[in-house]
Amino acid sequence: GSKPAEKETTTAAPEQTEAVTEAEKEGKDSYTFGYIAYDNTDIWNEYSSKAFEYAATQADVKVETVVLDSKNSLEESVTAMESLIQQDVDGISIFPISTEQGAQLVKMANEAGIPVTIENFAMDIEDSGDYIASVACEYDQIGYAAIKYIAEQKPGAKIFFCAGQQGAGVYEKYQEGVDRAMEELDGQVEIVATLHGDWLTDKAYNVTTDLISSGEEFDYIFANNGMMAQGCYQALKDAGMESIPIVSTGGSPDDYQMLVDGVEAANMTAPVSIQGVQTFKNLYDKVVEGKTPEKFVSLPIVPVSADKLDEFIAWDDYAAAYNYVYSK
């Protein structure tokens, strides 16, 4: 038992560190990954960063994580990148504030020779710097999935699309996916009305009530988010039409509850926990295993109906997200 004791003595310690550094140059047995959040008070970002940390605990080799929060500040994000460069981390995952700010951080990492990967943005700008890969939720895919789902459930459905707010680009992306699905389905379902609930419960209630009053017949609703699903449901209930199913998007903890309560019949879930695991995997594959991941991966859309809640991957269920990503 003299050897372990020897390691604890002060004289042996420096030698030991030197030996490790030499070994690290060959094939490292431990890594440090940085993570720059855009804002960890944002529920979407928070669950993603925690999924990233969880994935690190599951890795085959030891991976330490250093999570830094930009708090939605450009200045803070640059400071975070400087700090990670100073710590000489082995790789960095960035959740950018914008594509431009993302590119700025990517270039800082490039100059320092640290591999970097991106999440939540498809970095589709000219001068993005050199990054490994990106993973992001694509709204058009969700819109597409919702319409395809309805067509499977009810061929010939007359759909009311309670859409989000025009002008910011988010609803417009959804609409692209809806249009693509409608084109493919070629008349199998019909969209009888598209009215804008602007992401709000009361506005969705009002436009749904107006539609019911107009006498327009519909037998399925696609509500663009959970808050609008609530408004639509309340309007249906007041009119004695709550048997009309509502499909919504996101898969947040609130959406889960709405599936349980029968407000939503199904949800096109986009588990951000999967995004956090995927961005870790992109970094790990490149840095540790020397593999080049696919340049862009769309966050998978997992349709979950109220009668199959076991298929729901919660935003905070990091283990389920990990299994989903690593079982592929």
Side-chain angles (χ1 to χ4, degrees):
S2 63
K3 274 199 172 125
E6 206 173 281
K7 274 186 185 162
E8 279 161 32
T9 61
T10 43
T11 48
E15 283 167 37
Q16 198 190 354
T17 351
E18 262 169 47
V20 171
T21 331
E22 280 305 311
E24 276 181 358
K25 283 177 193 160
E26 300 305 316
K28 296 174 59 142
D29 54 3
S30 77
Y31 294 80
T32 304
F33 285 174
Y35 180 101
I36 300 178
Y38 110 84
D39 189 352
N40 259 338
T41 60
D42 173 83
I43 175 174
W44 181 261
N45 195 168
E46 182 201 0
Y47 287 143
S48 186
S49 68
K50 286 186 172 160
F52 180 89
E53 291 182 276
Y54 175 85
T57 67
Q58 303 301 301
D60 293 336
V61 300
K62 192 176 176 219
V63 180
E64 304 233 356
T65 51
V66 181
V67 176
L68 301 176
D69 189 355
S70 305
K71 302 188 179 83
N72 202 12
S73 146
L74 197 61
E75 222 172 308
E76 292 265 357
S77 73
V78 169
T79 306
M81 180 54 83
E82 284 168 348
S83 167
L84 292 173
I85 289 169
Q86 208 179 348
Q87 293 174 56
D88 196 21
V89 298
D90 299 292
I92 300 167
S93 179
I94 302 169
F95 188 127
I97 296 169
S98 67
T99 45
E100 290 71 25
Q101 174 262 0
Q104 186 186 348
L105 297 189
V106 167
K107 287 171 195 164
M108 287 174 72
N110 291 166
E111 273 174 39
I114 299 173
V116 61
T117 194
I118 299 278
E119 66 166 310
N120 212 60
F121 281 89
M123 295 306 283
D124 44 11
I125 54 170
E126 282 289 291
D127 193 11
S128 59
D130 183 18
Y131 63 93
I132 297 163
S134 68
V135 50
C137 178
E138 293 186 292
Y139 299 117
D140 60 318
Q141 302 278 12
I142 305 178
Y144 176 85
I147 300 302
K148 293 286 266 198
Y149 176 86
I150 294 172
E152 277 167 26
Q153 300 305 308
K154 187 167 190 155
K158 290 178 163 45
I159 304 166
F160 159 39
F161 179 20
C162 187
Q165 189 168 22
Q166 288 174 285
V170 175
Y171 147 71
E172 285 77 6
K173 287 298 283 182
Y174 273 109
Q175 187 66 58
E176 278 176 33
V178 167
D179 292 345
R180 201 164 68 235
M182 289 301 289
E183 203 175 305
E184 271 181 37
L185 289 162
D186 194 24
Q188 290 174 45
V189 293
E190 188 188 347
I191 293 177
V192 295
T194 299
L195 302 172
H196 295 271
D198 295 353
W199 314 116
L200 305 168
T201 302
D202 54 353
K203 183 92 194 277
Y205 175 86
N206 293 339
V207 296
T208 308
T209 303
D210 290 348
L211 185 64
I212 294 168
S213 309
S214 78
E216 178 68 70
E217 281 185 22
F218 61 94
D219 52 24
Y220 235 106
I221 295 180
F222 171 33
N224 221 164
N225 75 347
M227 286 175 76
M228 291 194 298
Q230 282 174 314
C232 295
Y233 180 75
Q234 198 52 54
L236 290 175
K237 210 171 162 187
D238 288 356
M241 296 164 67
E242 64 267 41
S243 62
I244 290 179
I246 301 171
V247 171
S248 191
T249 69
S252 71
D254 288 347
D255 289 312
Y256 184 86
Q257 196 52 50
M258 283 190 264
L259 287 165
V260 171
D261 296 342
V263 172
E264 293 180 10
N267 191 288
M268 303 298 108
T269 69
V272 70
S273 41
I274 290 179
Q275 180 172 290
V277 173
Q278 184 67 53
T279 197
F280 175 86
K281 187 176 189 295
N282 289 344
L283 195 55
Y284 186 89
D285 285 357
K286 182 71 178 167
V287 173
V288 180
E289 306 199 338
K291 297 191 289 206
T292 303
E294 220 174 312
K295 195 68 176 177
F296 176 76
V297 179
S298 183
L299 182 64
I301 310 306
V302 185
V304 179
S305 59
D307 56 356
K308 293 208 176 94
L309 281 172
D310 55 330
E311 291 169 14
F312 193 97
I313 298 177
W315 289 3
D316 59 356
D317 192 346
Y318 314 120
Y322 186 87
N323 292 338
Y324 185 96
V325 171
Y326 277 88
S327 65
K328 282 196 300 202

